[in-house]
Amino acid sequence: MTRTKRDRRHDPALLRRTAELAIDYLEALPESPVRANQDVAALRATLCGPLPEEPSDPLGVIESLARDAAPGLIALAGPRYFGFVIGGGVPAAVAADWLTSAWDQNAGLYVAGPAASVVEEAVGAWLIEMFGLPPQSGYGFVTGCQMAHFTCLAAARHAVLARTGWDVEADGLFEAPPIEVIVGGEAHATIHAALQYLGMGRDRVHVVPTDEQGRMRADLFEQALAAIPAGRPLIVCVQAGNVNSGAFDPIASIIDATRRREGAWVHVDGAFGLWARLSPSTAGLLEGVERADSWASDGHKWLNVPYDSGLAFVADPLAHAAAMSPPNAPYLQYTSTGQRDEEQWVPEYSRRARGFALYAAIRSLGRQGIQEMVERCCSVAREIAKTLSATPGVEILNDVVLNQVLVRFIVPGGDQAAGDRLTRAVVQDIQDEGTIWLSGTTWHGVAAIRISVSNWATGPDEAEIAVAAILRAADRGRARSGDIRG
Ligand SMILES: *Cc1c(COP(=O)(O)O)cnc(C)c1O
């Protein structure tokens, strides 16, 4: 096989056709059903096969990929997706993400992409200002909040051990002074996972019980703190935005109490909740958060930047860089420019230039646009909760302080198990119907439906559509169980 010059160039027809396919997908998104149209066996039958031995025409590959993947794509980025906490992509961010692939910068070193490095500087400064964090904070752009926790808690591990004279980066954790970690009973799984990766043990933590909203109890936090001997290296993880209820730990009082322990570190899980800082109506939930030591959040949730986009901030940039900088490799000595080498701030080495999509999102929305997006989502959540709570047989289980609603169906005259069965049946029915998508959870021992409003395009119309879909599913569920709604 001889390669012609043309074979070594990008084909404009391929790229134009690909743009068309992407545009068709995005244009159909607002009306698309929110469910897969093929089961896993059918997807495997079309997508899996023998290892390709021979080259294929790229255009044919893309056409068939788009065709074969379509039935297994979920309209996650559309306005009727209420599952987990998942944002879509605002137009400028999606477009910037396309360019990011074409530019193919390695945003690990300044010399491998100066524009990518400087764009991170711009985005870092903007986010720190918007969130009201200490201006000198270090920042790193990672794959998600999971890796933001990893980054921040690595910095925490560095700092609390450095105070004892222990160099954890060089010497590891064997024989190091033990680190005490306090978390809330409702800490997100990714906090435990980060502790697991960092050798601090996901179960080797002091767990503080939570109240009925899922907030750490301040009095029990004080008790847990008092039980830890003075002088012990200590890390406290607080939550700003419970993944089910949207509730916030009593951040200010936890920070105040922790500050009485010299050298103790407070880390904030603000995956989506940190964005509540942007609206005066919700900023109070985060009072005092700027006095923490590190903050983890997401771009791909509430800022509506395409996957993947996580945000890590550390008040002490030296602790941040000490924890993340790779050991010096001789071939890098010649690249040091004194400029931002992104790899100094994240666990990655070679990496995608994630800053471009963040940059485009923030520039296109502006602080006002982001505030409006946050407020619109909260108002849709409140609207859904209000309408549902006025319906017989429906309970709202949480105080709707942010963008999360927990709903449960009860069966008049029935027991808790009957309510659980109906609630789970409603979730399944909604997912099968595909008008909206949401998922179920267990909240304080009972089955519940989780509604998360996190998409830039979701508005009052979608609130009505969601309520109607939920009530339709409940009617069908009751009819099936021979029970008529009153
Ligand atoms: C989603 C979420 C995470 C994990 O974020 P990823 O971006 O999925 O890694 C952590 N904490 C909370 C509260 C979350 O909602």
Side-chain angles (χ1 to χ4, degrees):
M1 232 176 329
T2 50
R3 294 200 323 151
T4 66
K5 189 163 176 201
R6 202 161 168 272
D7 292 336
R8 287 181 283 116
R9 304 187 71 108
H10 281 283
D11 173 11
L14 167 66
L15 295 172
R16 294 218 166 82
R17 176 65 188 137
T18 305
E20 234 170 60
L21 288 165
I23 293 164
D24 289 349
Y25 179 80
L26 292 173
E27 285 204 304
L29 193 57
E31 279 77 44
S32 302
V34 202
R35 58 148 196 263
N37 287 323
Q38 269 183 1
D39 64 11
V40 65
L43 288 169
R44 284 195 187 116
T46 47
L47 290 165
C48 304
L51 168 70
E53 297 288 349
E54 309 260 296
S56 293
D57 170 41
L59 188 57
V61 170
I62 292 303
E63 294 279 7
S64 68
L65 173 64
R67 188 189 59 235
D68 297 344
L73 299 177
I74 309 278
L76 204 76
R80 282 172 288 106
Y81 191 87
F82 297 93
F84 309 106
V85 183
I86 284 189
V90 290
V94 173
D97 198 59
W98 289 10
L99 280 177
T100 304
S101 290
W103 290 339
D104 198 17
Q105 302 293 286
N106 185 342
L109 293 171
Y110 175 83
V111 293
S117 164
V118 172
V119 154
E120 281 204 3
E121 283 178 12
V123 169
W126 291 341
L127 288 170
I128 284 168
E129 186 180 340
M130 277 197 289
F131 291 140
L133 304 181
Q136 81 289 347
S137 299
Y139 50 90
F141 303 115
V142 289
T143 50
C145 198
Q146 165 76 90
M147 288 317 285
H149 289 326
F150 177 88
T151 303
C152 292
L153 291 172
R157 187 181 70 163
H158 166 88
V160 299
L161 287 178
R163 286 178 54 82
T164 71
W166 190 268
D167 180 350
V168 69
E169 284 74 35
D171 299 327
L173 279 174
F174 300 106
E175 292 163 50
I179 301 173
E180 309 291 341
V181 181
I182 303 181
V183 303
E186 292 262 340
H188 196 268
T190 53
I191 287 280
H192 296 274
L195 294 169
Q196 161 189 337
Y197 304 152
L198 286 162
M200 295 197 278
R202 62 169 185 247
D203 295 337
R204 215 189 123 280
V205 291
H206 306 272
V207 179
V208 177
T210 51
D211 66 11
E212 79 294 344
Q213 297 297 322
R215 297 172 292 217
M216 226 194 288
R217 275 183 49 187
D219 56 330
L220 298 179
F221 173 75
E222 296 263 0
Q223 270 183 30
L225 193 61
I228 291 171
R232 277 285 175 84
L234 172 64
I235 300 171
V236 174
C237 299
V238 298
Q239 180 161 261
N242 179 294
V243 78
N244 283 312
S245 67
F248 290 65
D249 285 343
I251 295 170
S253 76
I254 291 174
I255 292 178
D256 287 342
T258 308
R259 286 288 168 254
R260 297 199 297 270
R261 296 293 183 111
E262 211 183 317
W265 185 286
V266 180
H267 171 66
V268 180
D269 179 355
F272 57 99
L274 203 52
W275 296 92
R277 278 281 256 196
L278 274 93
S279 168
S281 52
T282 46
L285 296 164
L286 286 149
E287 199 205 317
V289 79
E290 69 284 352
R291 290 186 282 119
D293 297 286
S294 58
W295 305 264
S297 189
D298 267 322
H300 55 220
K301 287 182 178 175
W302 227 346
L303 185 59
N304 279 259
V305 164
Y307 290 100
D308 44 23
S309 184
L311 318 170
F313 305 95
V314 180
D316 175 359
L318 295 178
H320 185 173
M324 286 296 121
S325 299
N328 274 335
Y331 74 95
L332 295 180
Q333 284 168 9
Y334 306 100
T335 66
S336 174
T337 58
Q339 303 307 327
R340 179 179 173 85
D341 288 328
E342 298 95 319
E343 64 173 32
Q344 307 276 319
W345 307 97
V346 293
E348 302 151 346
Y349 205 55
S350 297
R351 59 191 281 279
R352 182 173 178 80
R354 281 186 205 101
F356 291 124
L358 286 163
Y359 183 86
I362 298 170
R363 278 204 58 191
S364 71
L365 294 166
R367 194 205 300 246
Q368 283 171 14
I370 301 172
Q371 179 184 332
E372 274 165 31
M373 183 161 69
V374 167
E375 290 174 349
R376 186 166 54 244
C377 289
C378 293
S379 124
V380 168
R382 281 194 304 272
E383 197 51 41
I384 292 173
K386 194 172 128 211
T387 319
L388 287 176
S389 68
T391 311
V394 187
E395 279 180 343
I396 303 298
L397 301 180
N398 64 322
D399 292 344
V400 181
V401 294
L402 206 65
N403 60 331
Q404 305 289 119
V405 187
L406 288 173
V407 187
R408 170 175 170 79
F409 285 90
I410 42 178
V411 177
D415 57 2
Q416 185 197 310
D420 284 355
R421 272 196 304 278
L422 177 58
T423 302
R424 291 199 186 101
V426 169
V427 170
Q428 189 56 54
D429 187 293
I430 287 169
Q431 292 180 358
D432 292 343
E433 189 193 88
T435 306
I436 64 170
W437 201 94
L438 41 69
S439 62
T441 188
T442 301
W443 181 248
H444 298 174
V446 299
I449 299 175
R450 296 180 70 251
I451 302 172
S452 176
V453 188
S454 315
N455 190 286
W456 64 284
T458 303
D461 293 350
E462 284 73 24
E464 276 180 32
I465 293 169
V467 168
I470 293 167
L471 295 181
R472 239 187 347 263
D475 281 345
R476 285 194 292 255
R478 289 199 163 97
R480 268 196 304 273
S481 63
D483 198 36
I484 306 302
R485 188 159 118 236

